[in-house]
Amino acid sequence: MSDTSRLGFYLLLAPILLWLVVLIILPHIGLFVVSISEKTGPRTYETGFGNYAAFFGEPLYWRTFARTAIMSILATVLTLILGFPIAYYIAKLTRGRTKTTLFLMCMIPFWVSELVRTFGWMILLRETGVVSNVLQYLGLVSGPVELLYNDAAIMVGLVYTSILFMVVPLVTTLDSLDDSLIEAGYDLGGSSTAILREIVIPHAKPGIVSGCIVVFMLSLGNYLTPILLGGKDSLWFTGMIYTQFITRFNWELGSAFGFLLLILSSLVVFLGLKLSGQSLSETMGRA
Amino acid sequence: MTDSPPDLMCRDLTKDFDTFRAVDHVSFDVPQGSFFSILGPSGCGKTTLLRMIAGFQTPSAGDLQIKGKSMIGVPPNKRPVSMVFQHLALFPTMNIGDNVGFGLRQRGVSKSDIKSRVDRVLDRVGLPGVTDRRVDQLSGGQKQRVAIARCMVLEPDVLLLDEPLGALDLKLREHMKVELKSLQAAFNTTFVYITHDQSEALVMSDNIAVMNNGTFEQIGTPHEVYHSPNTAFVAGFVGDANIITATVTARDGNTLALTTQTGGTLSLETHDASLNAGQETQVFLRPEVIELIQPGSAPEDAVNVSEGIIESVLFNGANSMVTVTDRNGAHMKVALPQTGSSTAVQKGDAVLTRWHPTQAQCFAMAQD
């Protein structure tokens, strides 16, 4: 490589390096440093893992942590179950304009902010909301029903918020599945379930895995939806981090929580990839 | 001897799409163990016909029977037919063994049985020991054979092939023609093959149906289709031909006298009773039935002899041809015999062309 082209290469590389170092690596180093400093008195700190010990010592903390993880996994699974038929329909059973229209209809809700979308759900689900009134009008319930502030409402919100991120990679991978492969499956005597299991899903695997990773990370890191739809009982780990940083002004514990969340998401993604036999570069590169 | 029903029987099979009729009252029988080709230009409805046999499309009218049982309303996964797709449609997520064993797995055959049957069929197509390979590790010809093995392992009554040689290069295609024919003979299964390539159809088939605009123009052996076409379309589509527009001037028994557009005279024999004096016709003359002779060497009473000049020599090995321009300016393609005598022809040579009255086909001009 000549000197000028080498210079060009580094110049092109600079923005991404800058972004990674300044906005990702440095803050995380800072976060880690804060998380391992224990406050011993006003403005005096000691290095140690006390903040992490506090997390494991307090059941509320690690139970919220586990609950957030399990709910996020559940939300991911539900999104996949809901998103797969939608994606299959868009990719395989429609053509031309219908396809574009359906795809756009999936996108439209994402033109408004997450906050507005979540308030929309609150209008539907609250005690004086649309669903409650319809149920009363139909005579199915005698008085107003509160549908907000429970786990189901959180789940609905999480699935709704993230379904697009499942549908898009799935449509892309299913689109690339040759129709004649499905026909060949039928021709060789396969039933619809056998074809789904042996031909469609193996082909869509990279899309499924990348969709799941994105949806899982979005759910795990979601703050608005659990707080607004789940109320003060939502017990979402991001809410807990917020409390430590803003309400309690305990940056040290908050940083430790943040780091634990990072470890958790990395671990779950790693396990998911191992279980599905995919590699991260392959999945993200193809989708 | 009892008369067993043909493997495949179609009666007045019709398929209408929104705006046009793709297949129009097609009827044919394919006897057990024969190689049947459907030959036609693209868009003639042959793929639709094949997809109806496979079950991917429902006929608008007519009946379709396999081994005497009607297949109307039977879904593709319940029909005793298998199909080799145009691009083969091997499952890229499975290895070769799983691909070939797919159909058997669907039938619930035991694992050890599947393994032995897959090994056996791969042996028969000449690919032993490839079960653990991935699809993309095979060459084009090998994939072809795997696709056939994947169908044959199910022992279908009828194997459908949708132009499977189209994607191969010329050399391999020539080789696979011979191989497909011998595989068909070895398995003794009924093959229904669709193609637009006449040489594939002629080389491999026991019977050929020539299809055009949704109907069968002719069903016959390759020999019949080539040498005695029923219609002008068949004569023009199958094989090479010089097409001469001519008017009948007189009819004497089965012998017609014609005048060409450029003023030449022809004499030929026909069995078509409808051709009479005054009628416009198209005469189809194959390049290989025309003989090149030295000027002055023709007998006095010979018919269909005309003088000409070699206009160009199209060298193509065994299929070399010359174009001859006669006195009236009409061009004619003539095959060069490969016996050595005519290798010396050169551009600009004066020659005589001669052909026998029984060797041309003559059809009334289509009415517009």
Side-chain angles (χ1 to χ4, degrees):
Chain A
M1 224 192 297
S2 72
D3 278 356
T4 41
S5 73
R6 189 181 291 264
L7 182 70
F9 173 73
Y10 285 120
L11 279 176
L12 286 170
L13 198 66
I16 180 82
L17 275 180
L18 216 64
W19 184 62
L20 280 173
V21 171
V22 175
L23 297 176
I24 311 274
I25 297 175
L26 279 183
H28 273 91
I29 292 174
L31 203 67
F32 183 69
V33 170
V34 175
S35 80
I36 54 167
S37 24
E38 292 169 44
K39 203 169 191 173
T40 48
R43 296 198 181 181
T44 52
Y45 296 96
E46 242 172 52
T47 304
F49 287 91
N51 294 315
Y52 294 91
F55 167 80
F56 289 104
E58 171 58 60
L60 178 70
Y61 293 159
W62 60 260
R63 280 194 184 151
T64 305
F65 186 73
R67 174 187 141 85
T68 307
I70 290 164
M71 292 269 284
S72 297
I73 291 171
L74 195 62
T76 309
V77 172
L78 283 175
T79 312
L80 177 63
I81 291 170
L82 271 174
F84 197 88
I86 298 173
Y88 190 83
Y89 186 83
I90 293 176
K92 285 283 141 229
L93 305 175
T94 57
R95 306 243 168 284
R97 272 185 74 136
T98 333
K99 190 178 212 150
T100 327
T101 316
L102 282 175
F103 209 48
L104 267 177
M105 278 165 68
C106 281
M107 300 258 229
I108 283 170
F110 292 83
W111 286 357
V112 297
S113 90
E114 195 186 345
L115 190 65
V116 178
R117 261 181 287 141
T118 313
F119 275 126
W121 273 106
M122 293 177 79
I123 292 169
L124 284 177
L125 297 179
R126 69 179 178 214
E127 223 172 338
T128 54
V130 178
V131 177
S132 173
N133 277 322
V134 168
L135 289 176
Q136 288 175 69
Y137 177 76
L138 292 174
L140 292 171
V141 289
S142 51
V145 275
E146 178 62 273
L147 296 165
L148 272 180
Y149 311 127
N150 55 44
D151 287 358
I154 299 180
M155 203 48 87
V156 166
L158 286 177
V159 170
Y160 175 72
T161 314
S162 45
I163 194 145
L164 180 73
F165 301 95
M166 185 64 88
V167 170
V168 171
L170 281 179
V171 168
T172 318
T173 42
L174 287 174
D175 239 353
S176 67
L177 174 64
D178 191 350
D179 285 345
S180 67
L181 291 179
I182 299 172
E183 284 181 349
Y186 278 116
D187 188 62
L188 294 167
S191 62
S192 301
T193 38
I195 287 162
L196 188 70
R197 199 183 58 237
E198 296 206 37
I199 299 163
V200 179
I201 291 181
H203 178 90
K205 222 169 178 181
I208 293 174
V209 173
S210 68
C212 284
I213 290 176
V214 172
V215 170
F216 174 74
M217 289 188 171
L218 280 176
S219 299
L220 196 70
N222 202 324
Y223 175 74
L224 269 174
T225 308
I227 300 292
L228 289 178
L229 297 179
K232 54 184 191 304
D233 296 335
S234 64
L235 294 177
W236 207 254
F237 202 64
T238 45
M240 207 146 270
I241 297 175
Y242 180 87
T243 312
Q244 293 305 329
F245 272 99
I246 308 296
T247 320
R248 305 276 299 276
F249 221 67
N250 189 347
W251 280 46
E252 293 72 32
L253 193 57
S255 302
F257 284 4
F259 235 82
L260 285 164
L261 198 64
L262 176 71
I263 291 166
L264 174 72
S265 63
S266 311
L267 204 70
V268 171
V269 168
F270 174 78
L271 283 177
L273 286 171
K274 274 278 157 291
L275 281 177
S276 61
Q278 303 278 312
S279 79
L280 189 65
S281 55
E282 197 183 314
T283 309
M284 292 303 179
R286 255 204 276 177
Chain B
M1 201 180 117
T2 52
D3 230 16
S4 62
D7 264 9
L8 176 67
M9 188 174 97
C10 290
R11 286 290 170 269
D12 288 326
L13 208 60
T14 302
K15 176 72 189 176
D16 289 314
F17 288 115
D18 291 343
T19 50
F20 69 104
R21 177 165 281 188
V23 176
D24 190 5
H25 292 96
V26 164
S27 300
F28 63 98
D29 291 339
V30 183
Q32 203 284 323
S34 67
F35 198 121
F36 186 83
S37 291
I38 300 167
L39 173 66
S42 34
C44 72
K46 56 189 193 305
T47 302
T48 310
L49 178 59
L50 199 75
R51 291 175 63 83
M52 282 198 284
I53 301 171
F56 295 121
Q57 251 147 12
T58 324
S60 310
D63 194 19
L64 192 155
Q65 295 185 359
I66 292 168
K67 285 233 153 77
K69 281 199 217 84
S70 176
M71 286 294 132
I72 303 297
V74 179
N77 50 1
K78 300 277 189 291
R79 293 190 183 198
V81 295
S82 290
M83 181 155 159
V84 177
F85 286 78
Q86 191 164 14
H87 300 290
L88 307 178
L90 296 177
F91 307 129
T93 49
M94 301 177 197
N95 65 23
I96 301 302
D98 287 344
N99 256 290
V100 178
F102 181 85
L104 295 174
R105 282 204 302 284
Q106 306 312 318
R107 292 187 182 175
V109 178
S110 76
K111 269 214 174 96
S112 57
D113 223 18
I114 291 178
K115 195 186 166 336
S116 68
R117 282 169 76 173
V118 166
D119 286 345
R120 205 159 54 223
V121 79
L122 283 173
D123 252 0
R124 287 187 76 175
V125 298
L127 287 172
V130 297
T131 44
D132 293 327
R133 298 234 205 123
R134 287 202 318 270
V135 172
D136 55 18
Q137 287 172 317
L138 298 187
S139 71
Q142 288 173 322
K143 283 185 196 163
Q144 195 90 53
R145 282 184 274 175
V146 170
I148 291 167
R150 188 175 71 173
C151 292
M152 293 317 295
V153 77
L154 297 172
E155 290 158 4
D157 289 335
V158 178
L159 183 70
L160 308 173
L161 300 104
D162 181 5
E163 305 198 39
L165 304 188
L168 302 180
D169 61 62
L170 184 69
K171 198 90 186 169
L172 191 55
R173 199 153 63 212
E174 293 301 318
H175 175 73
M176 284 309 291
K177 274 186 212 167
V178 182
E179 195 161 303
L180 263 179
K181 179 71 188 156
S182 60
L183 276 175
Q184 190 263 335
F187 283 110
N188 193 30
T189 300
T190 309
F191 276 34
V192 175
Y193 187 94
I194 70 168
T195 181
H196 63 266
D197 182 321
Q198 36 136 336
S199 106
E200 285 175 17
L202 291 171
V203 169
M204 294 189 283
S205 316
D206 295 317
N207 279 296
I208 297 177
V210 182
M211 197 172 183
N212 186 32
N213 286 329
T215 56
F216 278 2
E217 299 259 343
Q218 183 173 6
I219 304 177
T221 62
H223 192 272
E224 284 165 1
V225 168
Y226 190 83
H227 288 293
S228 33
N230 280 350
T231 64
F233 176 80
V234 177
F237 190 73
V238 182
D240 221 354
N242 293 296
I243 303 171
I244 307 162
T245 311
T247 313
V248 182
T249 50
R251 177 163 189 153
D252 175 18
N254 279 338
T255 310
L256 297 178
L258 305 102
T259 311
T260 65
Q261 267 182 331
T262 53
T265 55
L266 311 173
S267 163
L268 58 84
E269 286 183 18
T270 181
H271 299 290
D272 188 344
S274 69
L275 292 172
N276 274 307
Q279 215 156 6
E280 282 254 1
T281 61
Q282 276 185 312
V283 175
F284 291 82
L285 196 55
R286 301 224 179 267
E288 69 270 21
V289 305
I290 306 169
E291 202 182 348
L292 288 179
I293 47 182
Q294 290 299 316
S297 64
E300 287 296 306
D301 59 341
V303 289
N304 298 328
V305 176
S306 68
E307 287 174 28
I309 303 284
I310 305 263
E311 186 172 271
S312 58
V313 180
L314 308 166
F315 182 77
N316 182 19
N319 301 318
S320 298
M321 276 202 234
V322 294
T323 49
V324 178
T325 311
D326 71 6
R327 267 183 312 204
N328 304 317
H331 301 283
M332 203 185 262
K333 283 179 283 186
V334 180
L336 276 184
Q338 298 300 310
T339 45
S341 56
S342 57
T343 41
V345 263
Q346 277 182 355
K347 188 178 168 181
D349 286 357
V351 287
L352 288 180
T353 57
R354 181 175 72 174
W355 49 275
H356 197 269
T358 54
Q359 287 189 301
Q361 307 292 329
C362 178
F363 300 97
M365 192 69 110
Q367 305 294 318
D368 293 325

